């Protein structure tokens, strides 16, 4: 096409054709990529869609073939959700615990990660290993001694009792340490030359440069607390203090389960998480602009 | 460029070392007070996390160790049995079984979830249209509870009229019994788990990818490196800290897999998917053998610790920081 | 520094544990004046919280000195929370228990001895289930039985006689075969393959699950094999197979609701769920083979042996399980059956509507098959039995092999 119109030299003709072919190949690749990603997204989205459909189908059992379009769609399940449970209270409890946990973990993880990344000391690797070791025993086994401990301090059935074990988590320390290790020491150096001590370096140099990791940790810490089941089940008993997953489990009775309400509860449970995640994504993307490389 | 960074790191390493040497015999008062100040700084940074972890994880871990030396049904006071629980566990073939099932899960799950998560992260790191929405959608399974996910996957993998077997039938393949079949139950759990956690890996790797300076990739492209080459020579090495993190965490969590097994098969059929933590849960809350459960969890701990230490030691060989 | 701290915390934790081990035993005397007792339950979960509150309110009115704090937990996880409480000594003054766990709790001394003021208010058979050596350790709050539901329309269309009280397995089998039409997706009979069904059909065939002193199983006999085959044989012939989804939650009830199942073995708790179906249905006492035996499930409340308010707790427990208020509330709400001996009160139950043959519920109480219970290894025994039976159902083992294996494994679990 190009050759006939412009009658270019052989070299240029080859060049333009190569570029057009490349452009076409790129377009095909792009379209293919879009298609694959969208198909994948549908696969990811389908269970959520099915949850919503079931929640809109009143009095539904779990049919062997869930319908794609809700029959007699109604918001009855959601209404009953708020009527049968002190749902607003329950959601409030979960929100409170999750928020405090997230803030606490951001703080405790960042400080510890700074020590493991920037403050060499004898036995540092061993101590880091001990931190990691705290992730290696399943909660199922820790629950009983932990409960006995909190009971000895009179903290059973209190917000504090539910919160204390969640204030620090090695997961966050590990995540942030990895991120901090990628911040070049040159930046520390520069700040030190300006007379900054460790606290200032931590606050003005390190933290701003690990925003994506901080945002990621915030999402996971929030999610961990929001979906946490075993510990709140065991330590919180009063209906005023119950959290969402435990309240939802309560919808499954001894003999029968009201699936439409369970699904409605699941939908309501997912939405705040999704909001937090999408909000946090902004900070993850900003990352490159703030790495301060060069 | 990487070499330059490496040099700088080495320099800084040399600078950081004097801090250690400063801690050898204090010869002058100035040195000593600096030592103390430094120690206090380290403490200040570590205490906020160390105290809760000590009190609420390490403490109960020690208590669990004590429980493992007893026989306890949770209802009556515990009775001392010394190392009997450990001896019984180590000679019981069921112990090897649960560990093998857990290993089976990990070997199937890890490659699947990493490659899948990487692929999605790479795709979403480009100028793909609607990638914000896509990022949200791919993360949805991560925040959905296993109650719902297990239900959906059991339905999808329903041997007689599930979507998967129906589609397989179009190609003339007789689909297996999936979670009702002992041979296919674990693969079913692996599939569901990898699907659910793809978003988690994606998020971590995406954060790591975002931190890679695009100029490095441009430089490589200008040097004539194709897409695969750029992936393996530039992207993956620079992504190695995030990859390291994903692998370590996935292994630690993989050895403790529980929620999905409990929700999808409860350890069945015929005990084919009984994993270590499912066994621990059963022993503690269903069979009233908390002593054995604690002993088993400490055995698991040793295994996880060993695996993690090997990885940490090995990271020097392939993980590039900065 | 770290090591010392570690040791320190470990010691604190261990001490706390040791302390809790001791605390389960001490109960001080009754305090005069207003008393607050705690009650943890699962029975009101899933829709009956208000009904429970009505009963509690009535009790508090009659007993102005006593306040009851109610905690309701999900049924599936109740065991986890309760056991944690018992381990740490924080169990409520009054708490729910299931019949299957009664023996274990009683044997471990966590239940207080009870001396109800009016034992005649209870149905004798259910009351006795919660005694040990003549002493009452828990009071039954409700009971349910398992009966045979059937789709009357399907029977009529196929020209088959509907189930009567005289039916035996043979009659059920014959009807099921006639009513099964795989091509149309209609099945004749559904009965779950599990421990809960097995001990019952075993009784229906004259067999015993455990031996005299409960130290070993006694089902590996020709009667036991026959009973197992009765259960397992339905799969694929008159009942869908596991691959078809049999065994998944709500599978059987959905099949029945869709009008695709002629007969269904399930509990009377399903009355409410089936109330609005578009076809005619009714119930009958489950047919036996050599004799009739129906499964009885019941929930009860116990008073904690370590409770500091034994009197108040016992008073509440009795009120909760035998007062007229409770009976009326339960009947009105369709909230399981109160274990009351008051036939007049129960009469209203008979005329509540579908199913018509509600008399069958009480008839089924004539011959009851109680779950076998052991002091140790109860849950394991149940899990193993169900697992082995499912192996047979799936065709991976023969029925005899499954029973042999179950015998070996269960004996090991309960004997040791």
């Amino acid at each position: 096409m190009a050759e006939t119109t412009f009658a270019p030299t052989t070299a240029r003709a080859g060049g333009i054709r190569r570029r057009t072919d490349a452009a076409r190949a790129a377009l095909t690749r792009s379209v293919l990529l879009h298609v694959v990603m969208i198909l994948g997204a549908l696969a990811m989205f389908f269970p959520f869609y099915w949850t919503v459909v079931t929640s809109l189908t009143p009095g539904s059992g779990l049919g062997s073939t869930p319908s794609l379009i809700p029959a007699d769609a109604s918001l009855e399940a959601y209404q009953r959700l708020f009527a049968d449970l002190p749902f607003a209270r329950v959601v409030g409890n979960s929100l409170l615990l999750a928020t405090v946990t997230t803030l606490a973990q951001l703080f405790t993880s960042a400080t510890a990660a700074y020590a493991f990344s920037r403050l060499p000391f004898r036995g540092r690797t061993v101590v880091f290993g001990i931190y990691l070791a705290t992730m290696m025993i399943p909660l199922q086994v820790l629950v009983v001694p932990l409960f006995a401990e909190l009971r000895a301090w009179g903290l059973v059935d209190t917000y504090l009792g539910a919160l204390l074990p969640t204030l620090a988590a090695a997961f966050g320390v590990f995540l942030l340490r990895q991120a901090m290790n990628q911040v070049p020491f040159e930046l520390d150096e520069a700040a030190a030359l300006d007379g900054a001590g460790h606290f200032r370096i931590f606050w003005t140099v390190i933290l701003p440069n690990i925003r994506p990791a901080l945002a990621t940790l915030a999402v996971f810490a929030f999610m961990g607390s929001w979906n946490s089941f075993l510990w709140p089940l065991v330590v919180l008993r009063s209906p005023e203090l119950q959290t969402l997953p435990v309240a939802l489990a309560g919808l499954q009775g001894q003999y029968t389960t009201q699936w439409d309400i369970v699904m409605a509860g699941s939908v309501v449970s997912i939405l705040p998480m999704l909001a937090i995640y999408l909000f946090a994504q902004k900070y993850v993307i900003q990352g490159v602009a703030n790495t301060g490389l060069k | 460029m990487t070499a330059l960074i490496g040099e700088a790191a080495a320099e800084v390493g040399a600078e950081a070392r004097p801090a250690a040497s400063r801690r050898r015999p204090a010869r002058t008062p100035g040195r000593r007070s600096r030592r103390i100040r430094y120690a206090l700084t380290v403490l200040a940074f570590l205490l906020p996390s160390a105290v809760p972890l000590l009190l609420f994880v390490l403490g109960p871990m020690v208590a669990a160790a004590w429980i493992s030396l007893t026989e306890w049904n949770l209802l009556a006071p515990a009775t001392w049995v010394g190392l009997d629980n450990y001896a019984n566990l180590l000679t019981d073939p069921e112990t090897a079984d649960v560990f093998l099932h857990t290993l089976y899960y990990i070997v199937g799950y890890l490659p699947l979830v990493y490659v899948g998560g990487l692929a999605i992260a790479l795709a979403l790191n480009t100028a793909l249209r609607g990638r914000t929405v896509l990022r949200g959608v791919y993360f949805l399974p991560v925040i959905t509870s296993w109650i719902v996910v297990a239900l959906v996957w059991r339905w999808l993998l329903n041997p007689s009229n599930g979507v998967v077997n129906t589609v397989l039938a179009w190609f003339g393949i007789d689909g297996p019994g999936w979670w009702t079949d002992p041979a296919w139950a674990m693969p079913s759990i692996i599939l569901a788990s990898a699907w659910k956690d793809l978003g988690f890996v994606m998020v971590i790797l995406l954060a790591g990818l975002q931190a890679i300076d695009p100029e490095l990739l441009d430089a490589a492209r200008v040097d004539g490196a194709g897409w695969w080459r750029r992936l393996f020579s530039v992207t993956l090495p620079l992504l190695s800290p995030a990859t390291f993190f994903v692998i370590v965490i996935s292994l630690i969590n993989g050895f403790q897999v529980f929620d999905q097994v409990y929700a999808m098969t409860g350890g069945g059929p015929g005990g084919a998917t009984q994993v270590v933590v499912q066994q621990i849960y059963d022993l503690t809350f269903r069979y009233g053998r908390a002593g054995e459960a604690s002993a088993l969890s400490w055995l698991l701990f040793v295994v996880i610790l060993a695996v993690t230490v090997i990885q940490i030691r090995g990271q020097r060989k392939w993980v590039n920081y900065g | 520094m770290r090591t010392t701290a570690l040791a320190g915390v470990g010691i604190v934790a261990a001490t706390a544990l040791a302390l809790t081990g001791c605390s389960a035993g001490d109960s001080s005397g009754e305090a005069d004046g207003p008393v607050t007792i705690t009650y943890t339950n699962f029975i009101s979960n899933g829709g009956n919280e208000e009904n429970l509150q009505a009963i509690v309110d009535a009790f508090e009115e009659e007993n102005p000195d006593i306040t009851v704090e109610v905690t309701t937990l999900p049924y599936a996880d109740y065991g986890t929370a309760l056991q944690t409480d018992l381990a740490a000594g924080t169990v409520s003054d009054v708490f729910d228990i299931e019949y299957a766990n009664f023996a274990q709790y009683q044997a471990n001394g966590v239940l207080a001895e009870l001396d109800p003021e009016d034992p005649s208010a209870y149905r004798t058979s259910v009351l006795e289930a919660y005694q040990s050596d003549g002493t009452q350790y828990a009071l039954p709050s409700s009971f349910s039985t398992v009966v045979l539901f059937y789709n009357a329309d399907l029977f009529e269309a196929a020209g088959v006689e509907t189930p009567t009280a005289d039916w035996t397995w043979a009659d059920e089998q014959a009807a099921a075969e006639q009513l099964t039409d795989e091509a149309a997706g209609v099945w004749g009979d559904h009965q779950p393959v599990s421990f809960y069904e097995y001990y019952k059909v075993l009784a229906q065939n004259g067999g015993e699950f455990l031996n005299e002193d409960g130290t070993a199983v006694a089902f590996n006999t020709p009667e036991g094999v026959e009973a197992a085959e009765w259960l397992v044989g339905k799969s694929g012939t008159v009942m869908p197979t596991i691959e078809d989804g049999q065994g998944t939650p709500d599978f059987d009830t959905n099949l029945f609701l869709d009008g695709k199942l002629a007969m269904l073995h399930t509990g009377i708790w399903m009355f409410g769920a089936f109330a609005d179906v578009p076809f005619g249905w009714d119930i009958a006492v489950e047919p036996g083979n050599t004799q009739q035996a129906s499964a009885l499930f019941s929930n009860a409340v116990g008073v904690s042996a370590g409770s500091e308010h034994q009197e108040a707790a016992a008073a509440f427990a009795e009120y909760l399980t035998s007062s007229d208020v409770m009976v009326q509330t339960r009947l009105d709400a369709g909230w399981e059956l109160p274990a009351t001996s008051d036939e007049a009160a129960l009469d209203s139950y008979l005329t509540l509507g579908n199913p018509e043959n509600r008399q069958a519920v009480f008839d089924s109480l004539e011959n009851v098959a109680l779950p076998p219970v052991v002091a140790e290894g109860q849950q394991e025994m149940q899990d193993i039995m169900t697992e082995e039976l499912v192996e047979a159902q799936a065709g991976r083992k023969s029925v005899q092999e499954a029973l042999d294996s179950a015998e070996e494994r269960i004996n090991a679990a309960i004997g040791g």
Side-chain angles (χ1 to χ4, degrees):
Chain A
M1 209 168 43
E3 311 128 49
T4 32
T5 324
F6 299 100
T9 62
T10 324
R12 220 182 319 150
I16 292 180
R17 196 189 313 159
R18 220 181 302 129
R19 254 174 287 151
T20 324
D21 279 346
R24 226 181 304 153
L27 185 63
T28 324
R29 266 210 312 274
S30 172
V31 169
L32 211 60
L33 187 62
H34 272 90
V35 169
V36 167
M37 290 303 282
I38 291 180
L39 281 179
L42 282 175
M44 294 284 146
F45 186 69
F46 179 73
F48 182 69
Y49 175 71
W50 181 70
T51 308
V52 173
V53 167
T54 309
S55 72
L56 294 176
T57 317
S60 59
L62 283 181
S64 50
T65 325
S67 46
L68 284 179
I69 318 281
D72 326 304
S74 92
L75 290 175
E76 187 190 323
Y78 291 90
Q79 288 167 334
R80 279 169 59 199
L81 195 62
F82 283 87
D84 285 357
L85 301 174
F87 205 66
R89 180 78 204 226
V90 161
V91 170
N93 288 333
S94 280
L95 260 173
L96 174 67
L97 292 180
T99 310
V100 174
T101 299
T102 305
L103 293 174
Q105 280 193 21
L106 280 172
F107 175 65
T108 58
S109 302
T111 46
Y114 184 80
F116 289 123
S117 176
R118 295 311 207 242
L119 301 175
F121 58 89
R122 207 168 34 191
R124 181 168 77 166
T125 322
V126 170
V127 175
F128 184 63
I130 297 180
Y131 268 66
L132 287 188
T134 62
M135 289 194 283
M136 300 177 193
I137 289 258
L139 181 61
Q140 284 77 359
V141 142
L142 297 178
V143 152
V144 172
L146 191 56
F147 184 74
E149 190 180 328
L150 284 184
R151 175 198 167 273
W153 296 345
L155 291 176
V156 170
D157 208 22
T158 60
Y159 282 130
L160 199 56
L163 278 172
L164 285 178
T166 68
L167 295 180
F171 174 85
V173 176
F174 190 18
L175 181 67
L176 295 187
R177 170 192 177 266
Q178 294 303 96
M180 285 184 191
N181 278 352
Q182 286 192 278
V183 178
F185 283 87
E186 305 158 319
L187 298 179
D188 290 45
E189 300 276 280
L193 284 176
D194 285 343
H198 280 296
F199 296 95
R200 192 120 69 86
I201 296 180
F202 173 70
W203 190 255
T204 59
V205 175
I206 301 294
L207 282 189
N209 278 306
I210 57 165
R211 272 215 199 107
L214 285 174
T216 309
L217 177 59
V219 170
F220 286 127
F222 193 90
M223 189 171 79
S225 173
W226 187 257
N227 286 336
S228 157
F229 180 77
L230 188 56
W231 181 241
L233 169 78
V234 157
V235 79
L236 294 175
R237 302 303 175 79
S238 318
E240 310 91 60
L241 299 181
Q242 263 184 7
T243 59
L244 193 49
V246 178
L248 287 182
L251 293 172
Q252 298 184 35
Q254 185 176 9
Y255 301 115
T256 57
T257 302
Q258 307 157 79
W259 288 110
D260 53 341
I261 310 187
V262 172
M263 292 306 186
S266 300
V267 170
V268 172
S269 167
I270 290 178
L271 292 178
M273 267 309 314
L274 196 56
I276 303 250
Y277 169 71
L278 290 173
F279 177 72
Q281 280 306 289
K282 278 203 334 240
Y283 290 93
V284 177
I285 309 313
Q286 268 176 22
V288 177
N290 291 321
T291 47
L293 278 176
K294 277 254 170 89
Chain B
M1 180 87 152
T2 346
L4 259 175
I5 297 180
E7 245 182 60
E11 254 181 53
V12 174
E15 290 241 40
R17 244 171 274 128
S21 64
R22 255 184 251 135
R23 294 217 255 119
R24 271 186 237 117
R27 296 214 189 91
T28 67
R31 277 237 169 113
R32 211 224 208 127
S33 75
R34 237 177 315 177
R35 242 180 71 206
I36 296 181
R37 256 220 325 271
Y38 184 72
L40 285 178
T41 310
V42 171
L43 265 180
F45 275 98
L46 280 179
L47 276 182
S49 53
V51 169
L53 283 179
L54 263 173
L55 286 179
F56 304 115
V57 186
L58 287 170
M61 277 168 74
V62 169
W66 182 82
I67 296 176
S68 75
L69 300 174
T70 70
E71 199 184 280
W72 193 26
N73 67 2
L74 297 183
L75 304 178
T79 50
W80 184 265
V81 293
L83 294 173
D84 278 1
N85 288 330
Y86 290 96
N88 289 339
L89 279 175
L90 289 171
T91 53
D92 188 353
E94 211 181 332
T95 308
D97 276 345
V98 295
F99 272 98
L100 276 174
H101 294 147
T102 311
L103 213 55
Y104 182 1
Y105 169 81
I106 293 174
V107 167
Y109 166 82
L110 194 52
L112 212 56
V113 82
Y114 180 76
V115 171
L118 179 64
I120 300 175
L122 286 172
L124 292 183
N125 197 32
T126 63
L128 202 63
R129 290 244 289 271
R131 63 177 182 276
T132 328
V133 172
L134 282 177
R135 264 192 220 114
V137 172
Y138 278 96
F139 198 66
L140 265 179
V142 181
I143 57 185
T144 312
S145 85
W146 262 110
I147 303 175
V148 177
V149 174
L151 279 175
V152 173
W153 271 90
R154 277 162 61 119
W155 172 76
L156 281 175
L157 293 177
N158 191 316
S160 60
N161 58 5
V163 170
V164 174
N165 273 9
T166 312
V167 170
L168 285 176
W170 294 346
F171 297 97
I173 308 175
D174 195 16
W178 295 113
W179 48 269
T180 65
D181 183 343
W184 286 91
M186 192 53 96
S188 308
I189 295 181
I190 291 175
L191 268 177
S193 305
W195 171 88
K196 186 178 192 298
D197 293 341
L198 273 180
F200 167 79
V201 175
M202 170 198 82
V203 165
I204 305 279
L205 294 183
L206 203 51
L209 285 176
Q210 295 279 316
I212 297 180
D213 188 357
E215 306 210 0
L216 292 173
L217 286 165
D218 285 341
R221 196 182 304 133
V222 162
D223 284 348
W227 189 80
W228 274 103
R229 192 82 212 291
R230 288 204 301 276
L231 178 67
F232 281 97
S233 308
V234 182
T235 312
L236 285 183
L238 288 177
L239 199 56
S240 52
T243 300
F244 178 70
F245 176 79
V246 166
I247 294 184
V248 171
I249 291 289
S250 297
L251 276 174
I252 292 180
N253 288 338
F255 272 105
Q256 297 177 67
V257 63
F258 175 72
D259 290 334
Q260 46 268 60
V261 174
Y262 184 71
M264 280 192 78
T265 62
T273 57
Q274 187 77 350
V275 292
V276 180
V277 179
Q278 176 74 57
Q279 182 77 347
I280 291 174
Y281 178 84
D282 286 346
L283 284 171
T284 310
F285 293 111
R286 289 166 71 86
Y287 303 154
R289 283 146 60 179
E292 272 180 65
S294 295
L296 183 56
S297 68
W298 274 96
L299 279 181
L300 179 67
F301 172 82
V302 167
V303 169
I304 300 180
L305 185 64
V307 167
T308 309
V309 164
I310 294 176
Q311 289 176 85
I312 294 189
R313 287 272 164 82
Q315 76 177 308
R316 271 166 238 160
K317 302 217 178 89
W318 62 280
V319 183
N320 314 299
Y321 289 104
Chain C
M1 173 239 181
R2 216 141 265 111
T3 341
T4 339
L6 226 158
V9 174
I11 292 173
V12 167
T15 320
L17 254 160
L19 284 176
T20 63
C22 302
S23 73
D26 60 318
S27 57
S28 37
E30 277 303 306
D32 288 324
V35 152
T36 304
I37 57 174
T38 49
Y39 169 49
T40 305
N41 81 97
F42 63 80
I43 55 173
S44 70
N45 209 309
N48 286 302
E49 291 87 352
E50 278 179 20
N51 295 321
L52 177 63
Q53 198 52 51
I55 301 175
V56 169
D57 290 339
F59 174 76
E60 285 179 339
E61 238 187 87
E62 283 188 31
N63 299 276
D65 270 358
I66 310 181
T67 317
V68 183
E69 270 180 27
V70 177
T71 305
T72 307
L73 293 175
Y75 167 70
D77 308 291
Y78 179 79
T80 309
L82 181 66
Q83 287 186 70
T84 312
D85 276 339
L86 286 166
T90 51
V91 70
S92 303
D93 297 303
V94 182
F95 56 91
D96 280 356
I97 61 174
E98 268 187 297
Y99 176 70
N101 296 322
F102 168 69
Q104 188 194 26
Y105 290 156
Q106 191 274 321
N108 279 287
V110 302
L111 296 173
E113 280 182 31
L114 297 175
D115 192 14
E117 276 192 34
D118 188 13
S120 63
Y122 299 89
R123 291 196 91 83
T124 324
S125 55
V126 189
L127 185 68
E128 281 176 357
Y130 292 101
Q131 290 173 0
S132 178
D133 287 336
T135 316
Q136 198 73 34
Y137 283 98
L139 294 170
S141 48
S142 71
F143 71 93
S144 317
T145 63
V146 175
V147 297
L148 183 68
F149 288 70
Y150 63 89
N151 183 331
D153 288 0
L154 282 178
F155 272 79
E156 208 183 306
V160 178
E161 294 270 325
T162 57
T164 67
D166 304 315
W167 269 30
T168 63
W169 286 359
D171 299 312
E172 190 180 331
Q173 180 72 24
E177 282 168 2
Q178 282 184 280
L179 288 158
T180 302
D181 184 1
E182 269 192 66
V186 174
W187 298 92
D189 197 358
H190 183 287
Q191 187 165 20
V193 176
S194 72
F195 164 80
Y196 288 105
E197 292 294 319
Y198 185 61
Y199 69 77
K200 176 186 60 178
V201 298
L202 188 59
Q204 288 173 356
N205 205 23
E208 289 282 337
F209 194 92
L210 291 172
N211 64 5
E212 280 284 317
D213 42 7
T215 53
V217 305
F219 55 69
N220 199 357
T221 59
E223 289 87 23
V225 174
E226 232 188 309
E229 275 172 357
W230 169 239
L231 278 186
V232 165
K234 292 206 182 67
S235 181
T237 54
V238 298
M239 179 174 89
T241 62
I242 296 178
E243 282 85 19
D244 293 331
Q246 193 277 337
T248 51
D250 298 344
F251 176 80
D252 50 351
T253 49
N254 282 329
L255 209 54
F256 190 76
L257 286 168
D258 286 342
K260 296 260 197 300
L261 185 58
M263 290 184 280
L264 170 65
H265 294 254
T266 190
I268 64 177
W269 52 80
M270 291 310 297
F271 284 175
F274 293 160
D276 300 320
V277 291
F279 52 83
W281 61 279
D282 211 336
I283 62 172
V285 177
E286 267 197 13
N289 202 22
T290 60
Q291 65 188 35
Q292 279 192 340
S294 296
L296 172 73
F297 292 115
S298 103
N299 295 323
V301 291
V303 171
S304 163
S307 165
E308 296 183 350
H309 307 292
Q310 297 274 340
E311 266 186 47
F316 177 64
E318 200 174 340
Y319 190 85
L320 184 64
T321 54
S322 66
S323 66
D324 293 329
V325 172
M326 179 277 297
V327 172
Q328 210 47 55
T329 312
R330 277 187 175 272
L331 289 177
D332 290 341
W335 181 17
E336 290 164 45
L337 278 173
T340 177
S341 60
D342 189 350
E343 298 289 346
L346 291 174
D347 266 343
S348 65
Y349 181 76
L350 291 173
T351 50
L352 275 178
N354 244 356
E356 279 212 34
N357 190 14
R358 284 173 177 248
Q359 183 57 37
V361 174
F362 299 104
D363 291 341
S364 66
L365 287 177
E366 306 276 313
N367 298 294
V368 151
L370 281 177
V373 284
V374 286
E376 218 185 281
Q378 177 75 25
Q379 191 62 53
E380 265 185 283
M381 174 176 77
Q382 295 178 204
D383 287 351
I384 292 171
M385 195 73 235
T386 302
E387 194 183 302
E388 294 294 342
L389 286 171
V390 169
E391 290 293 290
Q393 179 191 10
R396 293 190 282 268
K397 281 187 182 164
S398 73
V399 168
Q400 186 62 63
E401 283 171 352
L403 289 185
D404 289 337
S405 176
E407 179 180 35
E408 205 187 303
R409 293 173 65 193
I410 295 179
N411 281 343
I414 63 179

